[in-house]
């Protein structure tokens, strides 16, 4: 395999309440978490190459980036935290269409705004999906993103994944995706913020998953993507579902104790946090 971890999705410019802009997107947070777990990681994205390269400059020694040129980079106006987070689409880089589809041990389908190509032919051993970007809809620029029904392509992505991660407030919109995933034996993790999560296992059983105790979190942007990446890596490494979910929860906790992608922890930091988890 050319890579250990490949994240496919838009790297975004997230415009915050104070008007500042920070790099974001599930692909960035997922690939960077994988890189800090020691995996050779690649982001495949679309946007204005010079802008993407500038945003990712602090992380370029940690991961590789393949940018499909587009007239604009996806820009999201972001406000709030957790279930109160709201986003507006200020710009969209379009569908990621490329003939260069490297092979990877773990493929993370990481859409934020309906950008996945219809198919991905690069070889992979494990496929993880964070599907919230498949059910996002907006009508015009500067309109708030709404959650809606997935299309047939989204259902195909769900059916071909080995593991899928969503948050509890996305569950209703993602129900058709979950149904298709369960038919295919996909492991499904549903996070619930500070509350224990739920894992739907391939044998049809349900598992309550642990959550790390947080004293004073700084902010949670990208924490769900960090959770997903850590879970995908742990499952691909052969950890049992409960242990994989605990590891992922600790990774998310480490991320939330700092600001931005720079706060993503390495394996040692996550293991130390894991040893402190609530029973």
């Amino acid at each position: 395999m050319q890579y250990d971890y490949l994240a496919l999705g838009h790297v975004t410019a997230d415009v915050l309440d104070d008007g500042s802009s920070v790099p974001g997107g599930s692909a960035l947070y997922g690939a960077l978490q994988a890189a800090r777990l020691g995996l050779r990681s690649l982001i495949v994205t679309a946007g204005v190459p010079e802008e993407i390269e500038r945003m990712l400059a602090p992380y370029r020694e940690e991961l590789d980036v393949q940018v499909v040129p587009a007239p604009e980079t996806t820009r999201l106006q972001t406000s709030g935290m957790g279930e109160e987070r709201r986003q507006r689409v200020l710009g969209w880089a379009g569908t990621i269409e490329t003939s260069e589809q490297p092979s990877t041990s773990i493929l993370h389908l990481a859409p934020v705004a309906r950008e996945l190509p219809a198919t991905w032919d690069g070889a992979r051993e494990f496929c993880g999906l964070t599907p919230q970007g498949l059910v996002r809809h907006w009508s015009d620029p500067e309109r708030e993103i709404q959650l809606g029904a997935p299309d047939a392509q989204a259902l195909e992505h769900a059916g071909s994944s080995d593991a899928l991660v969503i948050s509890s407030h996305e569950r209703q919109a993602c129900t058709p995706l979950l149904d298709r995933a369960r038919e295919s034996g996909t492991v499904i993790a549903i996070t619930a913020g500070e509350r224990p999560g739920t894992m739907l296992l391939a044998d049809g059983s349900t598992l309550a998953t642990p959550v790390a105790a947080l004293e004073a979190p700084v902010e949670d942007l990208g924490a769900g993507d960090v959770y997903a990446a850590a879970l995908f890596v742990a499952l691909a490494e052969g950890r049992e579902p409960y242990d994989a979910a605990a590891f992922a929860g600790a990774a998310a906790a480490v991320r939330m104790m700092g600001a931005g992608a720079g706060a993503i922890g390495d394996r040692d930091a996550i293991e130390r946090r894991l040893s402190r988890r609530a029973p």
Side-chain angles (χ1 to χ4, degrees):
M1 294 294 178
Q2 291 175 260
Y3 287 91
D4 302 314
Y5 195 100
L6 189 158
L8 178 64
H10 284 167
V11 172
T12 62
D14 290 348
V15 181
L16 305 180
D17 289 335
D18 62 3
S20 63
S21 179
V22 297
S26 299
L28 169 59
Y29 280 92
L32 191 56
Q33 178 62 86
R36 292 182 180 177
L37 290 173
L39 281 68
R40 185 183 179 208
S41 300
L42 169 70
I43 297 172
V44 178
T45 188
V48 178
E50 296 80 5
E51 184 176 7
I52 299 291
E53 290 168 7
R54 184 173 62 253
M55 290 195 297
L56 298 187
Y59 314 114
R60 287 306 304 273
E61 292 187 2
E62 298 183 78
L63 46 76
D64 293 340
V65 182
Q66 177 181 316
V67 182
V68 177
E72 59 183 340
T73 298
T74 294
R75 299 179 65 82
L76 302 176
Q77 186 178 54
T78 303
S79 60
M81 290 180 62
E83 295 186 8
E84 300 303 317
R85 175 171 292 121
R86 297 292 181 268
Q87 291 185 312
R88 296 179 184 273
V89 177
L90 305 182
W92 187 58
T95 304
I96 302 171
E97 299 289 356
T98 176
S99 59
E100 298 181 39
Q101 299 186 352
S103 60
T104 182
S105 295
I106 300 171
L107 173 65
H108 177 183
L109 299 176
V112 293
R114 305 176 69 88
E115 70 268 31
L116 292 186
T119 60
W120 185 264
D121 297 325
R124 74 286 189 105
E125 297 172 350
F126 183 99
C127 180
L129 171 64
T130 45
Q132 66 268 27
L134 299 178
V135 296
R136 287 178 169 174
H137 300 265
W138 64 96
S139 55
D140 298 303
E142 306 210 22
R143 292 296 299 273
E144 186 170 306
I145 291 173
Q146 305 293 331
L147 299 182
D151 59 20
Q153 177 184 316
L155 293 172
E156 288 301 313
H157 286 309
S160 65
S161 61
D162 296 292
L164 181 156
V165 177
I166 63 167
S167 65
S168 57
H169 74 274
E170 299 161 343
R171 184 171 186 170
Q172 182 175 357
C174 289
T175 294
L177 296 174
L178 302 187
D179 291 343
R180 176 63 65 87
R182 296 210 79 177
E183 291 172 1
S184 303
T186 302
V187 173
I188 298 169
I190 304 170
T191 62
E194 298 177 356
R195 304 181 301 278
T198 303
M199 188 171 281
L200 311 178
L201 303 180
D203 62 5
S205 62
T206 300
L207 179 69
T209 55
V211 62
L214 290 175
E215 299 83 11
V218 176
E219 48 99 346
D220 67 347
L221 192 62
D225 304 312
V226 163
Y227 179 100
L231 181 73
F232 298 155
V233 171
L235 290 173
E237 289 177 346
R239 295 200 191 204
E240 293 299 318
Y242 183 89
D243 292 335
F247 181 79
V254 171
R255 156 66 196 91
M256 292 168 65
M257 295 309 294
I264 294 172
D266 60 15
R267 196 177 290 267
D268 286 345
I270 294 169
E271 293 290 357
R272 287 195 299 272
R273 186 78 203 190
L274 185 61
S275 68
R276 299 167 53 193
R277 77 170 188 254

